[in-house]
Amino acid sequence: MTTSAVSVSLERPTAEPVEFLRNALEAAKARGTVTVVTVPAPIAPLETLVDTNDPDGALLWSPPEGPGFAALGALQTFVGSGAARAEQIRGFAEAFFARLEHVTLGERMAPSLRCFGGMSFQPGSAALPPWTAFGDARFVFPRVRYCREGDNAWLTVAAGPDEAANETSRRALVAKIAGVLATLSAGARAPGAARPPARRVVARDETSEAEYRAIVQDIVERIGRGEFEKVVIARRSTLSFEGAVDPTSVLTDLAETSEHCIRFAFRVRDVSFVGATPERLIRKSGVAIDTEALAGSSDAARAAELMRSPKEREEHDLVVREIVRALSPLCVTLNHPASPEVRVLRHLLHLTTPIRGRLARPVHVLELVQRLHPTPAVGGVPGADAVRFITEHEPAPRGWYASPIGWFDAAGDGEFAVALRSGALVGDKAYLYAGGGIVKDSDPASEYAETRLKLATLSAALHVAQ
């Protein structure tokens, strides 16, 4: 299924984007469709748009390759709950996409229209603060979307049929977009922001080392009894600062320190879920798919030891095995190298194995997400038993930590990542999460040290005073 796109190329290539938007909304008022208008925009940092503090929320999606997006508000929000949440989201979105009319200014087309969002780690795991507004599954079709790809940028605005038909609403929307374009122009000219001063932590609430090590030891003993092959256990560190935390400054810092990761932000009401994850869950374009196993970690000085470690290789190989098992029934080809590579990040090294394939038939990316999540990189083996243990024994609910986040379009293509190296920012508090994969040879002290390394990514972006 595709949108009913209408491409418009004006004779005057210098036509004002605001004038074009005004005319497009005027023409759409009698058609009764959802009208989406795309115009050229200035090149500016993605955080410039997120920083406008729109009361209806904001998001950012910035992969290391391909287009990056920032968006404000939501023309449409899709929510799902329970075990059928992915199917619910897909059904709502398909009906919505069928009503779209897309009008563009200029000959260069922007990337496809997309819904952005994600899901909680498991249904019910976002029932407590700070996650209550996020729910089991939440995706939005943005009201205003800014996209950058190479030397090109576009601004896309969406209006419902009632809005297009009402002159007052049309004028308000045109005025808002004029303001957004001015903000982007100012962002393009603004010098680089000064590095924020160190933030002093006034209170810290977290799983203690003794508590975490006890849970790890319990898992190791259960593995020895044959209950599991692997369980990923996480802990939360809640930091309270002297003043409110600005999510935009955190995203700006992550842009400089996490260049090989997918930066993301989802702001719902007063909660901003931000991070820079190194792990792609799935990417689909037509029948081509690619994913990766990312498991097995060490500090930046031990690359050779990481490759030789039986414990780290076992943890990694379990993830490769289960991803291949989940995707093979849908694929005519599915390939990966025999040995992993080392992924070098700012604070950590990881073992990674790219996995690529071709689907036997068209499949919506949400179906692939549902098959894969949670991989053993964030859940365990056997999957259902590991998730049950996590739900019953982890000190704090994960919410959207380690969950699938990303986008999909009308064709069912999309890209999803695993929400790692992340945290929820609310006022003067930061809820940070990190975990590790436990196998039979895991050492509790080493596993706790690994979580400290993983927490360092966001702690550094928060400029936590040591």
Side-chain angles (χ1 to χ4, degrees):
M1 179 175 55
T2 59
T3 61
S4 54
V6 178
S7 179
V8 177
S9 179
L10 298 187
E11 293 181 3
R12 295 183 296 126
T14 58
E16 283 287 340
V18 174
E19 176 190 353
F20 181 82
L21 171 63
R22 183 183 298 109
N23 292 339
L25 292 176
E26 177 73 25
K29 65 182 181 181
R31 291 198 292 270
T33 59
V34 175
T35 302
V36 183
V37 183
T38 296
V39 297
I43 297 287
L46 295 174
E47 304 84 70
T48 301
L49 194 56
V50 179
D51 196 31
T52 58
N53 201 28
D54 192 292
D56 294 325
L59 65 90
L60 181 143
W61 180 262
S62 181
E65 72 281 338
F69 299 87
L72 293 174
L75 181 72
Q76 191 73 44
T77 300
F78 312 103
V79 297
S81 61
R85 55 189 176 162
E87 292 93 334
Q88 293 166 6
I89 295 292
R90 178 180 175 182
F92 297 147
E94 285 180 347
F96 175 77
F97 275 126
R99 300 166 50 215
L100 295 187
E101 182 175 67
H102 189 194
V103 185
T104 63
L105 170 62
E107 297 180 354
R108 182 176 287 276
M109 294 292 290
S112 62
L113 302 178
R114 304 171 180 192
C115 294
F116 297 84
M119 307 177 190
S120 60
F121 179 74
Q122 285 290 291
S125 62
L128 297 175
W131 302 107
T132 48
F134 285 70
D136 283 351
R138 186 181 191 277
F139 286 79
V140 300
F141 186 87
R143 161 75 70 187
V144 179
R145 186 190 85 173
Y146 177 62
C147 173
R148 281 185 54 181
E149 185 172 28
D151 295 329
N152 297 285
W154 302 265
L155 191 67
T156 298
V157 58
D162 293 342
E163 195 170 25
N166 183 280
E167 183 177 358
T168 301
S169 297
R170 290 199 310 273
R171 287 180 175 176
L173 186 56
V174 169
K176 178 173 184 174
I177 296 309
V180 170
L181 286 168
T183 298
L184 291 169
S185 295
R189 296 190 299 268
R195 186 175 178 84
R199 292 187 174 93
R200 190 172 75 86
V201 176
V202 296
R204 186 187 300 262
D205 181 15
E206 61 184 2
T207 308
S208 70
E209 181 174 359
E211 291 173 305
Y212 191 79
R213 289 172 63 168
I215 296 173
V216 172
Q217 185 60 43
D218 182 29
I219 295 170
V220 170
E221 292 172 2
R222 290 170 182 260
I223 291 173
R225 296 195 297 267
E227 294 181 35
F228 309 109
E229 289 184 79
K230 175 183 178 180
V231 176
V232 179
I233 201 72
R235 67 184 183 94
R236 186 172 79 184
S237 178
T238 303
L239 308 180
S240 298
F241 299 97
E242 289 180 320
V245 178
D246 175 18
T248 306
S249 69
V250 177
L251 289 167
T252 300
D253 198 86
L254 289 173
E256 300 172 359
T257 60
S258 305
E259 61 272 18
H260 301 301
C261 299
I262 298 175
R263 278 189 311 145
F264 65 88
F266 296 96
R267 189 175 77 233
V268 184
R269 298 179 189 169
D270 62 341
V271 182
S272 295
F273 181 40
V274 304
T277 176
E279 184 173 356
R280 173 180 292 127
L281 180 63
I282 189 71
R283 179 170 56 185
K284 172 188 174 287
S285 179
V287 295
I289 61 171
D290 68 274
T291 179
E292 63 180 335
L294 190 82
S297 309
S298 75
D299 62 60
R302 297 171 52 228
E305 293 178 40
L306 178 61
M307 287 292 291
R308 292 195 302 264
S309 167
K311 179 263 178 185
E312 303 297 342
R313 288 296 296 268
E314 177 191 7
E315 182 184 343
H316 183 84
D317 292 346
L318 284 172
V319 179
V320 175
R321 185 189 77 190
E322 295 302 312
I323 290 176
V324 170
R325 178 182 294 176
L327 294 178
S328 289
L330 299 178
C331 294
V332 291
T333 62
L334 193 63
N335 303 305
H336 63 84
S339 298
E341 307 166 350
V342 174
R343 172 86 56 82
V344 180
L345 301 175
R346 175 66 63 97
H347 300 287
L348 273 174
L349 304 175
H350 292 295
L351 293 178
T352 181
T353 296
I355 303 170
R356 297 181 174 87
R358 294 185 67 80
L359 297 166
R361 61 176 177 83
V363 173
H364 198 284
V365 69
L366 285 176
E367 183 177 338
L368 301 176
V369 168
Q370 195 170 21
R371 276 182 167 268
L372 287 170
H373 177 75
T375 73
V378 293
V381 181
D385 293 338
V387 168
R388 189 177 304 111
F389 181 90
I390 290 166
T391 302
E392 294 174 355
H393 293 84
E394 224 164 54
R398 292 190 181 186
W400 277 32
Y401 164 71
S403 66
I405 53 169
W407 63 268
F408 63 87
D409 64 14
D413 291 337
E415 179 179 32
F416 281 77
V418 182
L420 304 176
R421 311 298 185 270
S422 59
L425 309 179
V426 191
D428 63 353
K429 288 184 170 56
Y431 299 81
L432 312 183
Y433 297 77
I438 313 305
V439 293
K440 65 178 184 295
D441 294 327
S442 292
D443 171 64
S446 298
E447 295 297 336
Y448 180 80
E450 182 178 315
T451 65
R452 294 191 64 179
L453 283 172
K454 290 175 177 176
L455 287 169
T457 297
L458 215 55
S459 294
L462 284 163
H463 301 282
V464 174
Q466 299 301 316

